[in-house]
């Protein structure tokens, strides 16, 4: 798909398709929207190495049907958004391994840069304020956004994420993010030409995704295979993954910044998350005033169909409470008597 203009592709919502999608040169991001443009906006931020297509389309449409304009996008260095080539090859591999071991290095960009991307996307879409939701790395970006731009944050939802507190226990699946024991090797930037090799790559990717799942809420093998193939065919950027991971490893603990978050906050976490244990969600909730933590038994680090009802119920409760409060404030303001001059 061409990324050389700002023309919007619009269509009627059918079979859970977005009503609009676009590559925006103004912010370098590819985005999609669900729901009516006049409805309150909810911006959803994806995690490490993933693409907007990893949000289940049924989930996005169901949230839109609750009365929200749902905007999703590919983060920088993923999907159809802009890729960065300031740090590549062997130098990137070496620097990532150094950061994984705790050494201080310079990333290609920061998580704050990625939060600023959200600001630019909102400006492009003419959104002054929005409900902000982020999952995993997206949860880190969402926390940074809410702390730095409180005037643009209607509410904050943090999904299977953390505060980057180095004292927190590590998840048993942390090794899935990066193998720090191997020698630093530059990423292979091309998909295999052989169909058999590509099929094996799809199976490997799906098998890895299976390791992120929980014990009671799981994607089926067929869903994982389809998702893996769709993602690989849409965009393959292993160095983008590495640069994003480097940004995470180089960022400071978020708790001090979270002390300044004023938006109503919901933290959603799974009891069986292999990457960030429940203590990570507790850390997020404890660092934000009046945040609510909801933990779902048997949920891991993905979004299978079986947990959508729970997810939507918790999210809708937060969003509707915020919208009701905003309506009350507007109503009270309109009823104030004029002061004689």
């Amino acid at each position: 798909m061409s990324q050389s203009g700002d023309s919007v592709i619009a269509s009627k919502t059918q079979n859970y398709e977005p009503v609009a999608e676009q590559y925006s040169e103004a912010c370098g991001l590819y985005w999609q929207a669900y729901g009516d443009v006049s409805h309150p906006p909810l911006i959803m931020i994806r995690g490490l190495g993933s693409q907007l297509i990893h949000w289940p389309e049924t989930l996005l449409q169901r949230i839109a049907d609750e009365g929200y304009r749902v905007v999703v996008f590919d983060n920088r260095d993923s999907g159809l958004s802009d890729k960065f080539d300031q740090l590549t090859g062997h130098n990137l591999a070496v620097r990532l391994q150094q950061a994984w071991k705790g050494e201080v290095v310079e990333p290609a960009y920061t998580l704050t840069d990625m939060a600023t991307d959200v600001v630019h996307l909102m400006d492009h879409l003419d959104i002054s304020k929005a409900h902000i939701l982020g999952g995993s790395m997206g949860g880190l970006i969402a926390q940074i956004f809410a702390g730095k731009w409180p005037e643009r944050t209607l509410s904050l939802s943090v999904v299977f994420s953390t505060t980057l507190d180095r004292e927190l226990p590590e998840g048993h699946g942390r090794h899935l993010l990066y193998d720090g024991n191997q020698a630093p090797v530059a990423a292979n930037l091309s998909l295999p030409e052989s169909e058999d090799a590509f099929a094996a790559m799809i199976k490997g990717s799906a098998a890895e995704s299976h390791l992120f799942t929980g014990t009671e809420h799981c994607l089926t093998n067929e869903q994982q295979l389809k998702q893996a193939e769709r993602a690989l065919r849409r965009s393959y950027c292993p160095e983008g993954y590495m640069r994003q991971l480097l940004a995470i490893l180089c960022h400071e603990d978020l708790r001090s910044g979270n002390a300044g978050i004023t938006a109503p906050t919901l933290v959603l976490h799974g009891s069986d998350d292999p990457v960030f244990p429940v203590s990570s969600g507790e850390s997020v909730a404890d660092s934000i005033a009046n945040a609510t933590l909801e933990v779902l038994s048997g949920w891991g680090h993905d979004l299978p169909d079986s947990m959508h009802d729970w997810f939507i119920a918790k999210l809708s409760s937060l969003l509707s409470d915020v919208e009701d409060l905003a309506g009350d404030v507007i109503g009270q303001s309109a009823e104030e008597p004029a002061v004689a001059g």
Side-chain angles (χ1 to χ4, degrees), residues 73 103 121 167 171 213-214 292:
F73 64 97
E103 299 178 31
L121 176 62
E167 298 301 316
T213 199
T292 298

Side-chain angles (χ1 to χ4, degrees), residues 5-134:
D6 274 356
S7 61
V8 174
I9 305 169
S11 63
K12 293 183 179 180
T13 303
Q14 186 176 8
N15 298 325
Y16 307 113
E17 293 179 354
V19 295
E21 57 184 298
Q22 177 189 57
Y23 168 76
S24 170
E25 289 184 341
C27 56
L29 302 178
Y30 191 93
W31 60 269
Q32 293 180 344
Y34 293 74
D36 194 297
V37 68
S38 67
H39 290 167
L42 167 66
I43 296 179
M44 300 175 63
I45 310 170
R46 279 301 311 177
L48 172 64
S50 65
Q51 305 178 44
L52 63 81
I53 60 172
H54 287 98
W55 291 116
E57 292 167 327
T58 53
L59 178 65
L60 300 180
Q61 188 58 57
R62 287 184 63 186
I63 297 172
D65 289 344
E66 293 285 320
Y68 298 95
R69 180 192 186 193
V70 180
V71 177
V72 296
F73 64 97
D74 292 322
N75 283 307
R76 62 167 66 193
D77 252 344
S78 68
L80 303 183
S81 291
D82 285 351
K83 309 302 187 295
F84 288 70
D85 57 4
Q86 296 93 328
L87 182 61
T88 61
H90 184 71
N91 290 337
L92 171 59
V94 170
R95 197 171 300 185
L96 180 56
Q97 186 178 69
Q98 291 172 330
W100 187 261
K101 293 179 178 179
E103 299 178 31
V104 177
V105 298
E106 186 75 17
Y109 46 77
T110 68
L111 292 179
T112 301
D113 293 329
M114 299 182 78
T116 304
D117 289 343
V118 180
V119 176
H120 294 158
L121 176 62
M122 289 174 65
D123 290 343
H124 172 69
L125 296 175
D126 197 26
I127 296 173
S128 59
K129 300 179 181 181
H131 299 283
I132 304 295
L133 181 150

Side-chain angles (χ1 to χ4, degrees), residues 198-279:
F198 183 60
M201 190 176 191
I202 292 171
K203 290 181 180 179
S205 178
E208 183 175 295
S209 295
H210 180 73
L211 299 176
F212 285 87
T213 199
T215 56
E216 298 179 29
H217 302 280
C218 311
L219 294 171
T220 67
N221 290 336
E222 182 181 3
Q223 286 174 322
Q224 288 167 340
L225 285 168
K226 286 183 177 179
Q227 187 178 76
E229 180 174 5
R230 185 183 180 198
L232 286 169
R233 290 191 184 280
R234 184 173 185 262
S235 175
Y236 180 65
C237 186
E239 287 195 335
Y241 175 97
M242 296 168 72
R243 286 186 289 264
Q244 288 181 357
L245 179 56
L246 184 60
I248 295 172
L249 296 173
C250 291
H251 206 279
E252 68 271 16
D253 189 322
L254 298 178
R255 287 176 296 170
S256 60
N258 284 358
I261 294 177
T262 57
T265 299
L266 174 66
V267 181
L268 300 179
H269 218 91
S271 67
D272 293 343
D273 191 318
V275 180
F276 299 126
V278 173
S279 56

